[in-house]
Amino acid sequence: MTAESDLIILRQAPEIHLKAPGTRRHFTRILQRNLRRALEDVPHRLATAQGRLLLRTAERERALEILPRVFGLSTFSPVVAEVEPELEAIVDGVRRHFTEAVRGRTYAVRCKRQGTKRVSATRIEREAGAALNGPGKVNLDAPDVTVRIDLQEDRAWLFSERRRGAGGLPLGVQGRTLVLLSGGFDSAVAAWYMMRRGTTADFVFCNLGGATHEAMVAAIARRLAGDWAHGTRPRLYVVNFEAVVEDLRANVPGDMWQIVLKRLMYRAAEAVAARSGAEALVTGEALSQVSSQTLSNLQTIDAVATLPVLRPLIGFDKQEITDRARAIGTFELCERVPEFCALSEQPPLVESRTSRIERAEAALDPAILQQAIDAVCERDPLAVDDGPDGVEGEGEGEGIFVDRIPEGATVIDCQPPEAYRRWHWPGAENHPADTLLQAFADWPADREYVLYCQRGSNSAVIAERMQRAGFRARAFRGGLNRLKRQEASPLADPAQG
Ligand code: ATP
Ligand code: MG
């Protein structure tokens, strides 16, 4: 079926229609602004008509790819043909444009009439329906194809598809928030849910893993900003937490690290919020998902915040979160990011008492956090280019990655011991990631080290730390699976593997 029309009908989320007229107009204006920005590179015209928006563009396919990522639209329909608003023209148009679509299938014809009295909708449905009978078979209850006629004063639109929009409210109708973005699945999904409720989101990231970690998180921020934030321009604030974590490691018992670290992050986030104008913090916690996300711990963490802390995922389970991450396009990016909070071997406290945590915190030097906050780096996620996989081009000089194990290199397996026993590169030494950051300082500095881990990201972060400490250290690109293939056929070109 060839498309003869350049029109797409856009329907606003029903919630917008329930608003008072002034609010509704305001929301619609913001939605129009966002649509114009989203379609910046797609020549188009946009108009309103009876609570809907009409989009005309010669580049319909491109527009149809972008529209599902604009918040505030419930559904949209590419119009197949526009005909005269007369019975005969409509029936003829339906026959011409839908005979093939209904062939061998069941169908129903539905007509909606907007403010014209000329022909009755039922009559149109009957006669247009009859015109398709033969190639297709009528089924009014559960048709395979629904042919829709939208009858206006001066024309009739024929279409059948009703594609789903992102729903929610137009981005920008509801204040500004600051999302604590970690690189994990949850916080990116939490950001998306907040944006879907219309809030302008900026991101703050407390960097625990150096340039590699930052590049990975920047790639996630870029995905959210580029694909979903049309009409706003999110900022990414990076707070370097390395010195803060050193202080924590040296002065706080291991079972309290997670909670104290979160409290330090919230304090940093509050400082950034004061600067960005955010009215709330957003995090990705889901109740009971991990031991640090108990009610008792959330209370202890919240105690340091003065702004409301919003947790849109609090009632979600992991599967719902990862499904959503796939749908919004952050899954593949987050999957590669290692879990930095797990660098302590001790399990975190399940039940924390604020007083005990406060006592432990007293051992920290507040000036260290303050320095990190003062040195916050503000970035435009859309302006950073981190290369194809988000971590290239950051480790200048020698680079962070190798594609094969060099002759004579000391190979370090960063997996947990059980995994190391199952398989390791011949001759590799086992130093699990969580112990390695402390361990490498004492190693001989005249050797060349190659690290590998399951997915290749943990080892990259550690290799970068080692490089900064003056070691010749790199990570094997692509992690375990790729390394196994190389062991099986050492001469194969790894790039082809
Ligand atoms: P996520 O999948 O978002 O990492 P999580 O379930 O792993 O969440 P935690 O690691 O306990 O949970 O973190 C809880 C929340 O704290 C995160 O969702 C995020 O909002 C915030 N957070 C954690 N680490 C960082 C970080 N390095 N920088 C900024 N925010 C962070
Ligand atoms: Mg996490």
Side-chain angles (χ1 to χ4, degrees):
M1 190 187 336
T2 56
E4 289 194 353
S5 169
D6 64 354
L7 177 65
I8 307 172
I9 302 172
L10 313 180
R11 299 177 196 86
Q12 303 188 58
E15 231 180 304
I16 300 177
H17 294 295
L18 299 176
K19 304 275 176 209
T23 312
R24 194 168 60 217
R25 270 195 302 277
H26 172 61
F27 280 26
T28 303
R29 263 198 303 275
I30 293 188
L31 176 56
Q32 283 177 286
R33 175 200 73 184
N34 295 352
L35 282 164
R36 275 191 218 102
R37 297 275 182 80
L39 298 166
E40 218 161 38
D41 301 327
V42 181
H44 69 274
R45 276 180 298 136
L46 194 60
T48 49
Q50 284 115 14
R52 295 172 302 181
L53 295 164
L54 304 178
L55 177 72
R56 289 196 179 272
T57 171
E59 297 182 41
R60 265 206 332 184
E61 286 314 309
R62 281 180 66 206
L64 289 170
E65 269 168 34
I66 294 168
L67 288 172
R69 298 198 300 264
V70 178
F71 295 118
L73 292 180
S74 64
T75 59
F76 52 97
S77 297
V79 168
V80 172
E82 294 175 75
V83 300
E84 293 297 314
E86 312 295 345
L87 180 63
E88 205 176 312
I90 294 170
V91 172
D92 186 50
V94 167
R95 186 184 300 110
R96 286 230 325 263
H97 291 281
F98 291 96
T99 299
E100 286 316 308
V102 303
R103 192 175 295 286
R105 308 169 75 190
T106 62
Y107 68 92
V109 178
R110 306 241 182 269
C111 177
K112 249 207 216 150
R113 206 175 55 169
Q114 318 262 2
T116 168
K117 298 257 178 308
R118 263 182 292 197
V119 212
S120 101
T122 344
R123 176 139 181 242
I124 293 179
E125 286 177 352
R126 221 178 29 238
E127 302 215 1
L132 298 176
N133 201 6
K137 199 161 156 274
V138 176
N139 178 346
L140 297 181
D141 298 325
D144 298 329
V145 182
T146 303
V147 176
R148 299 171 200 275
I149 301 158
D150 197 318
L151 184 58
Q152 308 284 307
E153 201 64 61
D154 57 346
R155 67 216 132 150
W157 296 321
L158 313 184
F159 59 95
S160 100
E161 268 183 282
R162 209 188 262 269
R163 302 195 189 182
R164 265 175 87 116
L169 297 172
L171 193 56
V173 300
Q174 189 50 262
R176 184 174 281 275
T177 53
L178 182 66
V179 183
L180 284 92
L181 197 65
S182 67
F185 295 110
D186 306 331
S187 44
V189 173
W192 185 86
Y193 273 107
M194 290 308 299
M195 289 158 73
R196 199 166 86 126
R197 292 309 296 168
T199 178
T200 300
D202 295 309
F203 311 114
V204 60
F205 162 55
C206 301
N207 190 1
L208 313 171
T212 312
H213 192 190
E214 181 174 336
M216 288 173 164
V217 174
I220 296 162
R222 186 175 47 206
R223 176 68 43 94
L224 289 166
D227 284 0
W228 295 100
H230 304 296
T232 63
R233 197 84 204 235
R235 315 295 300 176
L236 170 63
Y237 297 90
V238 181
V239 184
N240 185 346
F241 250 52
E242 266 174 50
V244 177
V245 171
E246 296 298 320
D247 191 26
L248 177 75
R249 282 220 183 85
N251 295 306
V252 170
D255 62 350
M256 282 189 262
W257 286 359
Q258 295 258 24
I259 290 159
V260 174
L261 180 60
K262 285 283 148 54
R263 282 164 59 101
L264 295 166
M265 286 181 185
Y266 278 41
R267 289 196 182 99
E270 286 245 321
V272 171
R275 171 174 165 164
S276 72
E279 295 155 289
L281 303 180
V282 175
T283 67
E285 279 116 351
L287 193 60
S288 315
Q289 189 194 82
V290 290
S291 50
S292 64
Q293 296 172 12
T294 59
L295 277 181
S296 146
N297 286 344
L298 292 180
Q299 188 185 12
T300 308
I301 298 167
D302 265 2
V304 301
T306 59
L307 291 174
V309 180
L310 306 179
R311 301 189 167 93
L313 305 186
I314 199 73
F316 282 51
D317 60 39
K318 197 75 202 177
Q319 189 63 43
E320 290 168 321
I321 295 169
T322 48
D323 287 350
R324 178 56 60 187
R326 278 181 221 278
I328 67 184
T330 51
F331 186 90
E332 295 73 23
L333 299 173
C334 296
E335 200 180 24
R336 311 171 308 160
V337 182
E339 189 63 70
F340 289 91
C341 292
L343 286 175
S344 163
E345 281 176 290
Q346 292 188 45
L349 291 177
V350 173
E351 197 144 330
S352 57
R353 284 245 307 286
T354 308
S355 56
R356 212 190 131 210
I357 298 288
E358 280 169 355
R359 267 201 307 282
E361 261 174 13
L364 296 174
D365 177 358
I368 296 179
L369 179 65
Q370 193 55 49
Q371 274 161 20
I373 292 169
D374 291 343
V376 61
C377 164
E378 182 181 340
R379 300 173 70 181
D380 176 353
L382 296 179
V384 291
D385 180 18
D386 300 298
D389 69 357
V391 291
E392 263 5 91
E394 291 278 343
E396 283 301 298
E398 262 213 302
I400 292 294
F401 290 109
V402 287
D403 287 304
R404 53 180 72 245
I405 305 284
E407 195 83 29
T410 302
V411 182
I412 309 291
D413 179 309
C414 304
Q415 305 183 91
E418 321 80 71
Y420 172 82
R421 279 193 292 275
R422 277 198 297 277
W423 183 89
H424 58 261
W425 181 262
E429 296 173 21
N430 183 217
H431 295 278
D434 53 6
T435 62
L436 196 51
L437 285 181
Q438 269 84 359
F440 75 74
D442 307 324
W443 293 358
D446 57 351
R447 290 204 209 151
E448 179 179 12
Y449 295 93
V450 173
L451 286 66
Y452 67 86
C453 62
Q454 225 222 319
R455 283 202 298 265
S457 43
N458 249 331
S459 53
V461 170
I462 298 166
E464 189 196 312
R465 289 278 190 102
M466 291 181 68
Q467 282 190 4
R468 274 191 281 153
F471 287 88
R472 280 192 297 148
R474 281 179 292 167
F476 183 79
R477 189 196 312 271
L480 212 59
N481 285 339
R482 214 160 145 256
L483 190 59
K484 283 181 182 168
R485 282 205 296 275
Q486 196 160 119
E487 189 199 23
S489 51
L491 292 177
D493 179 355
Q496 310 294 315

